[in-house]
Amino acid sequence: QGASASMRIVSLLPSATEILALIGAKDMLVGRSHECDFPPEILKLPTVTNSQLVFQSSAQIDQAVRESSKAGIDLYAVDADLLTALKPDLIITQGLCSVCSIDGTKVHQIVRRMEVRPKILELSPNTLEDVLQNVEQVGEAVGLTDRAADVKLYLKKRIELATKTAEEGRKKSVHPVNVAFLEWLNPLYIGGHWTPQLIEMAGGEQKLHNTARQKEVGFKSYAISQEAVTQSDPDAIIIAPCGLDLGATETEIANLVHDQDSEWSRWFCELRAVKGKRVALVDGSQMFNRPGPRLVDALEWLSSFLYPDAQQLNPIRSSRFPWKVMELANLPKKACLATSSGDKEQRDSRSDRYSSPVGGFGQDIEDCHRLAMEAGEDMYTDPRTGFMVFTEMAALKRGSCCGRGCRHCPYGHWNVQKFQDRKNVVRRPTLLPPVQAKSKTFSSLTFVFWSGGKDSYMAYLSHCSAIASTSSEAHDNEVILLTTFNSSTGIIPEQDLPIQKIMDQAKALGVKLLLVPLPENCDNDVYVTHILEAVDHVLDTLGISTSKRSQAVQFVFGDLHLQDIQQWRRQKFEASEGIPCKFPLFDKDYNDLMDLLWQKPVTVKISSVCSSQSSLKVGQTFDRELAEQLHARGEVDAFGEKGEFHTEVVL
């Protein structure tokens, strides 16, 4: 059919990703959006988008969307460098809703800057017929027109059968089932686009629609009042908030119902459908909100939910449909998200498997989180409060720090703005900011061993100056700061600096940071092992074979003149592992080092003093004048090379 096995596709639309999989083009995918999560096999693909929104409540998301729109801030971001590096032949995006997903305008802007411009297929369906048409459009775009036609026919037959079954169920009913389909909860939004059509095809009706909208096809979701829901007196209610899975949906409805300050605890609980247990909670994100092939699954489920006595169309498929009956008595008493700032108790028996603040959490919380992680769960119930809490697994799936201080953030609260609010300590080698697996390729990686002090800063400056003189090398070389720290305290030994300050330094320099936690009382061999494992982790993440470590990696150290330290590093890393080691500051005149250190305005502070003979004080500014005084007095090494004092570079 003209399909090319070498065709490279990036899908930024979950429904398009599902269509590609269904027509047999899954192997053409080389990248996806952060929302593309079905079928599960595509989760291994690089993610080229991320969201600025993190769900905590319906009201919070609504406010965030309004504020972002008012300020002209995009809700979603595209990694333009990664998208370009993936070299797609085709990018599939949408123009339907800028709140739900990345829109086509942003994609077009990025593509215009590409040297080789891929084709863009923009899908904007409003009805079920549009979705079927999208199947054909995608098939034509990837050269699988016959296969797409077969899939469309298969879906149409299922739709016809579901509609016929619904008609038979409808004949046994006095009147069509009056459905209130809620696509958002606070504020209330009624389901739009294809949803009213699905309900009608399943034998239901929505009296909740205002008169002007009842005959309109494919209209957008719109806000309604609580009074409107009450007056419509629905026979059944379907709650399927846009973008929320089943667990988050139950969490949100429980939060609203049990909030004594919310009107929900009064009006909602008095509805006839609620009292009669005719409320369905559904994974709207998977089944109703995305205009893809599984809308047919949603139609089949709808017909069986509205008319339970009707014939089951596909018992196996129905048993897998993500929904549950909502019963007030069974809702969690509390169901809000908890962050790390809410629990500062010490652990009796600390576990270092998962990220946590220094001192960690209580053992009961650690046990709940551990069991949830082992079961692959995204949330667990806090044993003390009943709150639903995100696990580390949930954050890892998201692939980035959301910036809201989640209790089990595995990224050290990288995107939390305030220094004092970054509580978590990473428990495994972690590259920050996080990057997606096999996302970029560089000819070489330079790891600058970074303690946060002046020596590592000068080594970084010297290396950058050296590679800048060779344009090709500068373009293909990725510089990464490598920091080791005590995993129990979150402190860089000797320097006595918390890793949070190291994060700020990396951000100020605009470079990546590799955090390497070390156990207490770490000997030299363990230190080397942890370094090599961390580097291999980065290589694997960036899609570079670890067998090419010696060709792709080099280490840069800030040692000044201690030959035994230099020899040890060369022996352990260069001679034993084949990793080139560079010492750009070694044996340089201190006057030259001063010129290098202060070639740009920078503040250097004394962070720790180890010599009892020194008059230096922690917090004292280290400048050229002080260095010259120390050199003249001979009290200590002017640069503290023998460990007499250590510094912090304030960037």
Side-chain angles (χ1 to χ4, degrees):
Q1 296 185 41
S4 172
S6 61
M7 189 174 194
R8 301 174 63 82
I9 305 171
V10 171
S11 174
L12 304 181
L13 190 61
S15 56
T17 301
E18 295 186 25
I19 291 173
L20 287 166
L22 196 57
I23 66 175
K26 181 177 60 180
D27 292 340
M28 298 182 189
L29 281 165
V30 296
R32 64 183 177 95
S33 78
H34 65 284
E35 295 172 314
C36 296
D37 55 8
F38 188 87
E41 305 93 88
I42 59 95
L43 292 174
K44 63 184 179 181
L45 295 173
T47 305
V48 299
T49 67
N50 63 75
S51 173
Q52 308 303 315
L53 299 175
V54 179
F55 180 82
Q56 291 185 315
S57 70
S58 295
Q60 165 256 329
I61 287 293
D62 182 72
Q63 181 180 0
V65 170
R66 293 177 187 276
E67 290 177 352
S68 297
S69 177
K70 184 177 180 180
I73 300 174
D74 291 333
L75 297 176
Y76 303 95
V78 181
D79 187 335
D81 291 339
L82 174 55
L83 185 58
T84 302
L86 291 173
K87 299 179 180 179
D89 302 304
L90 174 67
I91 300 174
I92 306 180
T93 183
Q94 61 94 35
L96 187 66
C97 177
S98 61
V99 174
C100 299
S101 184
I102 197 81
D103 65 71
T105 302
K106 183 73 172 179
V107 178
H108 280 281
Q109 291 173 350
I110 295 173
V111 167
R112 280 196 291 269
R113 297 194 297 268
M114 291 184 179
E115 185 175 343
V116 179
R117 297 181 181 180
K119 293 181 180 179
I120 298 177
L121 175 61
E122 192 169 300
L123 305 177
S124 300
N126 289 290
T127 65
L128 189 57
E129 289 79 13
D130 291 341
V131 173
L132 296 179
Q133 184 64 29
N134 285 170
V135 173
E136 289 190 324
Q137 288 178 271
V138 172
E140 183 179 355
V142 302
L144 293 173
T145 53
D146 290 350
R147 176 59 179 161
D150 290 342
V151 168
K152 180 181 178 180
L153 181 62
Y154 161 71
L155 294 175
K156 287 187 68 174
K157 288 182 177 179
R158 285 176 56 193
I159 292 170
E160 292 170 0
L161 181 58
T163 304
K164 182 178 180 181
T165 303
E167 288 175 353
E168 294 175 356
R170 166 69 185 87
K171 291 176 183 178
K172 300 176 183 179
S173 178
V174 177
H175 58 77
V177 177
N178 178 22
V179 180
F181 190 103
L182 303 181
E183 193 171 287
W184 202 248
L185 298 179
N186 190 13
L188 285 166
Y189 272 74
I190 192 170
H193 296 300
W194 46 85
T195 303
Q197 184 184 18
L198 292 177
I199 292 173
E200 184 177 346
M201 295 173 73
E205 64 176 352
Q206 293 194 94
K207 294 182 179 179
L208 188 53
H209 285 316
N210 61 47
T211 305
R213 297 288 180 94
Q214 285 179 352
K215 295 183 179 181
E216 186 180 343
V217 178
F219 59 82
K220 292 183 178 180
S221 175
Y222 61 92
I224 56 174
S225 65
Q226 299 169 359
E227 291 77 16
V229 180
T230 301
Q231 291 172 10
S232 71
D233 188 27
D235 301 314
I237 300 173
I238 298 172
I239 299 176
C242 184
L244 301 191
D245 61 19
L246 183 56
T249 299
E250 185 175 24
T251 292
E252 176 66 359
I253 192 67
N255 201 20
L256 290 167
V257 167
H258 292 302
D259 184 356
Q260 296 303 313
D261 296 327
S262 169
E263 295 182 5
W264 273 77
S265 59
R266 293 180 287 276
W267 75 272
F268 182 75
C269 298
E270 295 301 316
L271 293 173
R272 179 168 56 89
V274 176
K275 292 182 177 180
K277 299 181 181 179
R278 285 287 283 158
V279 179
L281 305 180
V282 181
D283 184 337
S285 176
Q286 295 288 326
M287 309 313 303
F288 279 102
N289 308 149
R290 59 180 69 177
R294 286 190 294 167
L295 283 182
V296 180
D297 294 32
L299 173 61
E300 292 172 343
W301 172 81
L302 265 174
S303 64
S304 62
F305 173 70
L306 298 184
Y307 301 101
D309 295 333
Q311 176 186 359
Q312 282 282 330
L313 296 174
N314 189 315
I316 295 178
R317 194 154 47 228
S318 297
S319 67
R320 294 174 179 172
F321 194 86
W323 81 287
K324 68 187 300 184
V325 174
M326 190 209 80
E327 296 185 36
L328 289 175
N330 294 334
L331 287 176
K333 292 184 178 180
K334 294 180 181 179
C336 56
L337 303 181
T339 66
S340 61
S341 59
D343 190 333
K344 299 180 180 178
E345 295 191 16
Q346 299 291 310
R347 287 178 291 182
D348 296 326
S349 175
R350 195 189 72 252
S351 167
D352 60 0
R353 292 184 62 183
Y354 305 115
S355 299
S356 64
V358 173
F361 306 108
Q363 191 62 47
D364 53 347
I365 292 176
E366 292 289 356
D367 289 342
C368 286
H369 182 238
R370 175 180 54 79
L371 291 172
M373 287 290 292
E374 291 174 354
E377 299 291 341
D378 288 346
M379 302 184 81
Y380 70 91
T381 302
D382 187 298
R384 306 177 191 180
T385 65
F387 288 2
M388 297 298 292
V389 183
F390 279 128
T391 63
E392 186 169 311
M393 179 74 69
L396 290 171
K397 287 180 179 179
R398 184 174 59 242
S400 63
C401 170
C402 68
R404 297 185 180 274
C406 297
R407 176 183 283 181
H408 300 291
C409 175
Y411 305 113
H413 292 155
W414 171 261
N415 285 329
V416 174
Q417 292 186 357
K418 293 183 179 180
F419 170 91
Q420 60 271 25
D421 291 338
R422 287 189 223 126
K423 308 290 184 181
N424 275 15
V425 177
V426 301
R427 304 295 179 182
R428 60 177 66 87
T430 303
L431 184 62
L432 299 171
V435 297
Q436 298 299 320
K438 298 174 175 56
S439 61
K440 295 182 181 180
T441 301
F442 300 93
S443 63
S444 63
L445 301 175
T446 296
F447 292 89
V448 178
F449 280 61
W450 184 269
S451 64
K454 56 178 175 47
D455 295 351
S456 53
Y457 176 63
M458 288 189 293
Y460 167 78
L461 292 177
S462 182
H463 172 73
C464 289
S465 177
I467 63 173
S469 61
T470 307
S471 58
S472 60
E473 185 178 354
H475 178 74
D476 295 333
N477 182 267
E478 176 83 345
V479 178
I480 299 174
L481 308 184
L482 188 156
T483 299
T484 59
F485 65 95
N486 186 322
S487 62
S488 299
T489 63
I491 300 294
I492 291 85
E494 309 298 342
Q495 234 71 21
D496 200 28
L497 295 176
I499 57 174
Q500 290 84 353
K501 288 193 174 183
I502 302 299
M503 292 180 183
D504 284 342
Q505 291 175 332
K507 290 179 180 180
L509 293 172
V511 297
K512 291 183 174 61
L513 170 65
L514 175 60
L515 290 176
V516 185
L518 299 176
E520 289 188 271
N521 303 317
C522 175
D523 63 28
N524 289 341
D525 289 338
V526 172
Y527 169 84
V528 171
T529 298
H530 277 69
I531 293 294
L532 296 177
E533 288 177 350
V535 169
D536 286 348
H537 163 71
V538 174
L539 291 174
D540 185 63
T541 299
L542 297 179
I544 303 173
S545 173
T546 55
S547 64
K548 298 180 179 179
R549 184 209 291 157
S550 59
Q551 292 84 33
V553 170
Q554 64 177 347
F555 288 167
V556 173
F557 299 96
D559 300 311
L560 302 185
H561 58 69
L562 297 181
Q563 292 188 357
D564 56 334
I565 299 297
Q566 184 193 57
Q567 290 173 359
W568 181 85
R569 296 193 199 277
R570 289 196 183 280
Q571 173 60 37
K572 291 295 183 180
F573 295 119
E574 201 166 59
S576 298
E577 302 295 334
I579 301 174
C581 295
K582 293 187 175 181
F583 301 84
L585 311 180
F586 206 78
D587 277 345
K588 277 198 172 185
D589 183 83
Y590 276 11
N591 287 319
D592 294 335
L593 293 180
M594 292 180 195
D595 291 338
L596 176 62
L597 179 57
W598 288 292
Q599 67 179 7
K600 297 180 180 180
V602 65
T603 300
V604 182
K605 297 283 188 180
I606 304 293
S607 62
S608 66
V609 179
C610 305
S611 173
S612 59
Q613 299 178 356
S614 175
S615 59
L616 296 173
K617 304 294 182 184
V618 172
Q620 183 177 354
T621 298
F622 179 84
D623 53 19
R624 182 184 290 269
E625 182 180 356
L626 178 59
E628 290 174 346
Q629 289 176 0
L630 293 175
H631 181 67
R633 293 202 301 261
E635 180 180 282
V636 295
D637 185 274
F639 271 69
E641 174 69 347
K642 297 180 180 179
E644 301 94 332
F645 64 92
H646 299 278
T647 59
E648 170 196 0
V649 176
V650 182
L651 299 172

